[in-house]
Amino acid sequence: MHIVFMGPPGSGKGTQAVRLAKHLQVPHLSTGDMLRAAKQQESPLGVEAASYMDHGNLAPDDLVVEVLISRIQQPDCAGGMLLDGFPRTIKQAMALDEHLAQIGKHVDLVVELEVPESVLIERIMSRQGNRADDNRATIHNRFEVYQRQTTPLRGYYVNQRRLAKIDGTGSMDEVFARVRGAVDAIPQK
Ligand code: AMP
């Protein structure tokens, strides 16, 4: 099972993605986590990524695609994976599709968590201080970047009939029940 999670900052995407990955027993792959780890190690890739992340901008497609594809070539991803925060651009989505097609696989489901902006801002401000990119100016930019660069993916995945829009409001358990409902509805081959 290959599942992609999309959602604006504060949508609960990370929490739900971790939970679903556990439930399905597939690796949880977060490009944000990978880039933060590289930043902490101060590797050349990490230093480059940090210059984008710290301002709430997307890291370059080529850089992120390389990091992600080399990770999904690891043996633990043979049975599927849950992608959290990747793809974030059409170019990344195309690179992912191309790679999966080469190994006879495809994305089974794209979950997009939908949460009104007022709720998103409230949620992010209440976790302020935990992340370097959680300050007011950067948050604002991350929203804009999501609207401008990531929401075009909706159309891409709607055309493929893979997109499930999930109401991301309510408790974590309520949202998870909706996410599971979407996964259970994936047609079995
Ligand atoms: P996240 O933890 O998913 O919110 O990601 C944190 C930051 O890492 C983002 O604001 C971007 O700067 C960078 N990042 C994570 N995933 C990607 C991606 N797929 N493409 C480009 N940049 C990314």
Side-chain angles (χ1 to χ4, degrees):
M1 187 91 71
H2 298 76
I3 297 180
V4 167
F5 256 75
M6 289 173 61
S11 60
K13 162 179 78 73
T15 310
Q16 296 294 334
V18 167
R19 201 162 161 185
L20 184 63
K22 265 200 196 124
H23 174 71
L24 296 173
Q25 297 186 306
V26 294
H28 165 249
L29 309 185
S30 154
T31 41
D33 286 351
M34 291 175 202
L35 297 179
R36 275 187 290 277
K39 176 185 165 181
Q40 207 150 23
Q41 288 160 8
E42 296 180 3
S43 64
L45 182 145
V47 172
E48 190 188 345
S51 66
Y52 297 92
M53 295 166 78
D54 292 349
H55 298 100
N57 294 320
L58 294 187
D61 287 329
D62 292 348
L63 182 153
V64 186
V65 165
E66 195 182 316
V67 169
L68 195 270
I69 300 288
S70 60
R71 177 65 186 88
I72 65 183
Q73 284 169 333
Q74 302 296 311
D76 63 329
C77 295
M81 71 202 84
L82 199 147
L83 298 178
D84 170 4
F86 182 97
R88 264 175 152 102
T89 64
I90 302 259
K91 208 170 156 197
Q92 293 179 15
M94 290 170 75
L96 175 66
D97 280 352
E98 204 174 298
H99 174 75
L100 291 178
Q102 278 168 9
I103 55 174
K105 295 181 173 154
H106 61 263
V107 171
D108 295 283
L109 177 73
V110 179
V111 173
E112 185 186 13
L113 291 181
E114 292 189 301
V115 179
E117 193 162 323
S118 56
V119 179
L120 294 173
I121 292 170
E122 203 174 295
R123 284 186 186 173
I124 300 177
M125 292 323 262
S126 68
R127 76 175 188 201
Q128 202 175 7
N130 295 334
R131 277 174 50 160
D133 55 358
D134 272 358
N135 63 67
R136 215 170 260 278
T138 310
I139 291 167
H140 183 72
N141 191 39
R142 281 162 56 210
F143 278 126
E144 264 190 22
V145 165
Y146 187 80
Q147 287 303 328
R148 195 174 60 243
Q149 292 179 275
T150 304
T151 57
L153 278 180
R154 284 184 191 137
Y156 182 86
Y157 285 124
V158 164
N159 285 340
Q160 295 188 354
R161 300 179 195 285
R162 304 252 151 84
L163 187 72
K165 288 189 179 198
I166 305 282
D167 174 3
T169 60
S171 70
M172 278 197 293
D173 286 347
E174 284 165 342
V175 178
F176 189 60
R178 294 178 201 129
V179 170
R180 273 183 61 176
V183 173
D184 292 344
I186 297 174
Q188 299 296 318
K189 272 183 252 152

